[in-house]
Amino acid sequence: MATFIIGLVILFGGAALYGKFCENVFGPDDRETPAYSKQDGVDYVPMKTWRNSLINLLNIAGTGPILGPIQGILFGPVAFFAIPIGNVIGGSMHDYFSGMICTRDGGTQMPDFVKNYTNHTVYILYDIFICILLLLVGAVFIYTPGDIATTQVFRWSGAATDPKTWIIYLIIFAYYFLATCLPIDKLIGRVYPIFGLILIFSALGIFIAIFAKGYPLTNIWADWNTAGEAVSGVMGVKDVATGALTTKDVTFLANGFDWGSYFTASHFIPVFFLTVACGILSGFHSTQTALVSRTIESEKDGRMCYYNMMIVEGFIAMCWAAGTMGMINLGADAGGLSMMGTQFLQASTESKAVVDGVLQATYVQAGSAYYHQIGAAAVTGVICRHALGNIGGMVALIGVIVLPITSGDTALRALRLTLADSLHIHQENNKQRIALAAPVFALVFVILVWAKFNANGFNILWRYFAWANQMISLFALACIAAWMFEQKKAKFSWMPLIPAAFYAFATCSFLVHNPAQTAGSSAMSWNAAYIIGAVFTVCYIALCLYNGQKKAKKAAA
């Protein structure tokens, strides 16, 4: 418990100090914002700070701060330090400067932001890259809430051949289309405050339960390797490729988890930092703060709308990570969860039963006792019910469903705006907006159908979405550094370049190691991946500094 509390102190204490420092470095003033100077009643619309803050929070808080920490906490209590430190100096700084620079530059969207602070070649690459990412976000965030709603709320099968599954998908799909085409204050600005209250309720409910119910949390200085009791049993495994159900003799921990072994075997760097993205740093967020740059009333609201909302997301991630650890340490007999043994997790012969470190089991039997699976979606239900009871748990579960929806709709809206800006397509009326949105949604539907009918399709999409999400941040961080050089603030360029160097190494080493492993052949060794990652990082930082110095010379000329 003490480690969790220290982590919260780092998060909120760091936010107060470093957030103010970021604000001082940028220097917000009283100039007219794009919400007024370009007001059009559609995308440029002045909205109150509290409304912008909730909108931005829900835009950035998809399933990332829930499903990511549920999987990331398997690395042990070190997560309670990694999340707040990374959030304060990485994610919140990234969100603040991305949003503020876009605000000051007239409400630019990220492709133009990249074009202004790099060069045309990088701009073209980014434009293609971000359009693909936003398209995948839209598809992923129809799939995720749709499946949680069908299987956990309505208790339907969720199968691709079940018409009820597609009814739920189409309802979400229709909402996305309206949110993409209608003026931002007609739908998003009206319903998001309600969604925001549900989100806050669920996070605070779990936070209170952690203390009120005394969830057992492992401290970072404790022995990570002795928790739990080893029990032999039989597990039903559903092969993700064929759908066939087989039984396996396994050893699992009835209570607790071998955190230390998982940490050692699963490569904390880089895997943890791609698993827990939205609570630490997410490149997707820059596309969402760019949206709010067109509705913010004053530059001085930026710290609350951009920096502090990312801190809130870090708090949500901390609560779900602690809730998951508490449920695992309690064990299924006490209403919590039971984990499989580390040997099973690492056994290559059982790799199809594990997806991104999360077990995909149908049941576990030990004697006369049956234990539920530890899939990430199942964990959300267990935590919600245990922390908040049946009624409160259902409300919180609705919040979990809402989270991805409130990121998917604005992702597709951002995609429409990006395409409109890049292709110079006017968007003044509904006919023009629908004409641009229609082909986008057709592609989203094709991706959704493929992912649903392909047994491993969604896992492939999610794995590379997570990688692409962090790669996108490298563009924004490089642009922030260039802006600092241009504005004669080069002495502060270490602020974006430190997290940029870390994520350049993490994303590159993950990419060069993981595809071979995914394909089923022998993966490149992690040592080799780390060497390639280090070389890439040096080249990336050198290019950032070179570009920054060019911007500084051009500004001085």
Side-chain angles (χ1 to χ4, degrees):
M1 184 70 74
T3 300
F4 175 63
I5 295 173
I6 294 172
L8 291 177
V9 171
I10 293 172
L11 181 67
F12 292 114
L17 297 174
Y18 202 67
K20 182 62 177 176
F21 179 66
C22 288
E23 188 176 50
N24 290 339
V25 170
F26 183 84
D29 56 33
D30 294 322
R31 73 185 67 191
E32 191 175 47
T33 62
Y36 291 104
S37 62
K38 297 183 177 181
Q39 187 170 354
D40 62 4
V42 179
D43 297 311
Y44 294 92
V45 180
M47 293 196 294
K48 297 297 181 183
T49 303
W50 69 268
R51 192 182 295 272
N52 274 320
S53 297
L54 280 177
I55 288 174
N56 189 49
L57 175 61
L58 287 163
N59 287 355
I60 64 177
T63 49
I66 294 177
L67 300 186
I70 286 174
Q71 299 174 71
I73 195 60
L74 300 183
F75 286 89
V78 67
F80 294 139
F81 288 168
I83 291 173
I85 293 173
N87 183 297
V88 168
I89 67 174
S92 295
M93 181 278 304
H94 164 277
D95 290 11
Y96 177 76
F97 279 100
S98 295
M100 291 303 295
I101 296 170
C102 286
T103 301
R104 183 161 289 185
D105 286 353
T108 56
Q109 297 303 287
M110 283 305 295
D112 282 338
F113 177 48
V114 172
K115 184 178 182 180
N116 291 342
Y117 295 102
T118 55
N119 56 54
H120 188 71
T121 301
V122 176
Y123 159 72
I124 295 296
L125 290 173
Y126 179 87
D127 215 5
I128 296 172
F129 206 107
I130 195 63
C131 286
I132 294 173
L133 176 62
L134 292 173
L135 193 69
L136 294 178
V137 170
V140 166
F141 288 167
I142 293 174
Y143 192 113
T144 304
D147 274 20
I148 293 175
T150 53
T151 60
Q152 295 196 42
V153 176
F154 298 107
R155 303 294 183 182
W156 296 334
S157 69
T161 54
D162 187 344
K164 296 189 291 295
T165 300
W166 293 96
I167 291 174
I168 297 297
Y169 284 169
L170 289 174
I171 291 172
I172 300 173
F173 197 87
Y175 165 74
Y176 279 8
F177 194 81
L178 290 174
T180 299
C181 297
L182 289 177
I184 194 167
D185 63 335
K186 300 301 181 185
L187 182 58
I188 293 177
R190 293 178 184 273
V191 301
Y192 268 31
I194 300 172
F195 292 163
L197 291 175
I198 296 175
L199 167 63
I200 294 170
F201 167 79
S202 60
L204 286 177
I206 294 170
F207 175 74
I208 293 170
I210 289 169
F211 294 94
K213 297 190 176 185
Y215 286 179
L217 303 181
T218 304
N219 284 315
I220 196 168
W221 51 82
D223 188 347
W224 296 14
N225 302 304
T226 58
E229 175 186 357
V231 179
S232 296
V234 177
M235 185 187 75
V237 178
K238 186 175 182 180
D239 190 310
V240 295
T242 66
L245 184 66
T246 58
T247 58
K248 304 289 183 183
D249 294 325
V250 298
T251 298
F252 66 97
L253 296 176
N255 297 293
F257 183 65
D258 195 346
W259 315 102
S261 295
Y262 190 92
F263 176 90
T264 302
S266 300
H267 298 277
F268 178 72
I269 299 175
V271 176
F272 175 86
F273 294 92
L274 275 77
T275 302
V276 186
C278 294
I280 301 177
L281 185 146
S282 170
F284 169 69
H285 291 187
S286 62
T287 67
Q288 304 307 292
T289 57
L291 288 176
V292 179
S293 74
R294 297 183 173 187
T295 60
I296 195 170
E297 292 184 315
S298 170
E299 283 191 353
K300 294 178 181 178
D301 296 337
R303 185 178 171 192
M304 175 59 70
C305 294
Y306 303 135
Y307 193 95
N308 288 353
M309 288 306 101
M310 180 56 187
I311 293 295
V312 173
E313 183 168 10
F315 172 72
I316 294 169
M318 290 282 284
C319 289
W320 281 94
T324 304
M325 176 178 277
M327 291 296 96
I328 292 172
N329 283 343
L330 278 175
D333 289 340
L337 301 161
S338 289
M339 290 291 293
M340 288 295 146
T342 303
Q343 279 193 327
F344 176 79
L345 280 169
Q346 300 305 320
S348 60
T349 57
E350 312 295 349
S351 60
K352 288 185 177 180
V354 180
V355 178
D356 293 337
V358 178
L359 294 171
Q360 304 297 308
T362 54
Y363 67 87
V364 179
Q365 178 184 4
S368 59
Y370 289 82
Y371 297 93
H372 295 292
Q373 65 179 8
I374 187 64
V379 172
T380 60
V382 173
I383 295 175
C384 288
R385 288 189 296 271
H386 195 281
L388 301 168
N390 290 332
I391 296 177
M394 182 56 69
V395 173
L397 192 59
I398 291 172
V400 173
I401 295 171
V402 164
L403 279 172
I405 293 176
T406 57
S407 290
D409 59 1
T410 48
L412 292 174
R413 186 180 185 87
L415 178 55
R416 174 180 68 80
L417 293 173
T418 298
L419 290 172
D421 289 349
S422 300
L423 302 176
H424 306 292
I425 300 174
H426 295 292
Q427 296 285 278
E428 284 83 5
N429 57 57
N430 287 333
K431 184 177 179 180
Q432 291 171 328
R433 293 192 290 273
I434 291 172
L436 183 56
V440 169
F441 275 78
L443 286 173
V444 170
F445 189 75
V446 169
I447 294 171
L448 184 64
V449 171
W450 173 81
K452 191 64 180 177
F453 280 93
N454 185 309
N456 204 34
F458 179 74
N459 295 323
I460 295 172
L461 285 176
W462 184 265
R463 182 180 297 116
Y464 288 98
F465 158 71
W467 170 81
N469 186 31
Q470 301 303 64
M471 276 296 296
I472 284 293
S473 70
L474 299 184
F475 289 89
L477 292 168
C479 290
I480 294 168
W483 177 87
M484 289 180 171
F485 274 93
E486 187 178 86
Q487 299 297 317
K488 299 180 180 179
K489 301 176 186 284
K491 64 181 180 180
F492 299 112
S493 61
W494 57 267
M495 296 171 69
L497 291 182
I498 287 176
F502 181 85
Y503 276 95
F505 175 78
T507 52
C508 181
S509 58
F510 178 84
L511 178 67
V512 298
H513 171 81
N514 206 54
Q517 189 178 47
T518 303
S521 58
S522 35
M524 177 182 291
S525 73
W526 275 108
N527 287 337
Y530 289 153
I531 292 172
I532 295 173
V535 172
F536 173 78
T537 301
V538 171
C539 295
Y540 168 79
I541 295 298
L543 288 173
C544 287
L545 293 173
Y546 174 74
N547 179 60
Q549 290 169 352
K550 282 183 60 178
K551 292 295 179 183
K553 291 179 181 178
K554 184 176 180 181

